[in-house]
Amino acid sequence: EPEVTQTPSHQVTQMGQEVILRCVPISNHLYFYWYRQILGQKVEFLVSFYNNEISEKSEIFDDQFSVERPDGSNFTLKIRSTKLEDSAMYFCASSEAGIYNSPLHFGNGTRLTVT
Amino acid sequence: EDKVVQSPLSLVVHEGDTVTLNCSYEVTNFRSLLWYKQEKKAPTFLFMLTSSGIEKKSGRLSSILDKKELFSILNITATQTGDSAVYLCAVGAAAGNKLTFGGGTRVLVKP
């Protein structure tokens, strides 16, 4: 069964450094998302991406965050200058159509630790 | 602000028991409700519900939605230790292409 793959599985970085989290969505999916889950808390929406542009973003997704689909297969999340509070599990997800019609399929996540 | 509340927070059962998990929601312009199972990492998709009163089944799992009372339940019958996980409920609303998640119900099935 096709799946969403994320790399790396764990990333440790120092405060103020830039990180790029990578995702390969399911190949025929058109909608892409990033969510995060701080340890012990709810899964939170960050951003959705369709047709090469952001379709929605949350308040968390400020100027420090950006997303890109640099080629036909990868979808990346960049955090420009990491803060301690960015430590979380970051999940990439994709769906065939919008959320009204098709479920999101999640990757295994990247655990980001900011020290 | 959209809100999704799951109950109970956690429960412990023995193999063979039946569990019922609850999800209530307050969202503007509801479109869909989804259930996910989260073991160690990725939430894995279980059900997507958009219409009231139509039960969805997959093996020992089933789910139903009540759009009038704004809740959904997930049932697991004849539980097995492999059902131990956090079960997440998420709701999609018309205002935007995002899911709002509840806090999850942690289920532990003892042999």
Side-chain angles (χ1 to χ4, degrees):
Chain A
E1 187 178 320
E3 56 181 32
V4 177
T5 56
Q6 290 185 243
T7 54
S9 57
H10 192 187
Q11 172 102 41
V12 181
T13 190
Q14 289 192 321
M15 205 164 50
Q17 296 296 302
E18 174 184 288
V19 294
I20 297 176
L21 311 183
R22 300 180 195 279
C23 170
V24 179
I26 295 172
S27 62
N28 64 331
H29 286 189
L30 300 176
Y31 293 75
F32 315 114
Y33 313 84
W34 285 99
Y35 284 76
R36 79 172 186 190
Q37 188 174 31
I38 294 169
L39 193 62
Q41 296 187 25
K42 292 184 183 185
V43 176
E44 301 174 288
F45 169 75
L46 292 178
V47 66
S48 58
F49 191 87
Y50 169 70
N51 203 25
N52 277 321
E53 60 183 26
I54 290 173
S55 52
E56 185 167 1
K57 58 184 182 178
S58 70
E59 289 172 359
I60 303 166
F61 195 88
D62 62 21
D63 292 344
Q64 292 302 310
F65 290 86
S66 62
V67 288
E68 199 178 30
R69 188 153 161 82
D71 52 43
S73 58
N74 290 286
F75 180 51
T76 61
L77 174 69
K78 184 196 287 188
I79 310 174
R80 257 179 276 284
S81 177
T82 49
K83 305 182 200 123
L84 294 175
E85 54 265 36
D86 293 328
S87 295
M89 180 74 94
Y90 287 81
F91 290 110
C92 174
S94 67
S95 61
E96 269 186 86
I99 56 161
Y100 315 140
N101 299 308
S102 62
L104 273 62
H105 294 269
F106 287 84
N108 272 330
T110 294
R111 179 163 296 287
L112 177 65
T113 303
V114 183
T115 61
Chain B
E1 186 185 323
D2 296 342
K3 205 158 94 169
V4 179
V5 178
Q6 293 185 244
S7 63
L9 221 58
S10 66
L11 70 162
V12 180
V13 297
H14 286 94
E15 272 191 318
D17 289 351
T18 294
V19 299
T20 298
L21 310 182
N22 303 293
C23 175
S24 63
Y25 61 89
E26 288 174 33
V27 300
T28 306
N29 294 323
F30 169 91
R31 289 298 184 100
S32 58
L33 185 145
L34 294 87
W35 285 97
Y36 286 87
K37 178 182 181 183
Q38 187 176 29
E39 293 177 87
K40 294 213 159 95
K41 292 186 178 177
T44 52
F45 171 69
L46 296 174
F47 298 111
M48 182 171 185
L49 303 145
T50 55
S51 302
S52 269
I54 299 171
E55 187 183 47
K56 294 226 173 172
K57 277 180 79 79
S58 175
R60 296 176 293 102
L61 277 66
S62 63
S63 183
I64 198 158
L65 173 67
D66 186 329
K67 286 163 77 172
K68 189 178 168 195
E69 300 297 329
L70 308 183
F71 78 92
S72 173
I73 60 171
L74 175 70
N75 279 319
I76 311 172
T77 57
T79 50
Q80 302 170 357
T81 54
D83 296 326
S84 296
V86 174
Y87 290 83
L88 299 172
C89 171
V91 172
N97 196 26
K98 66 173 187 180
L99 293 177
T100 299
F101 278 82
T105 294
R106 182 174 297 277
V107 175
L108 176 62
V109 182
K110 290 189 168 180

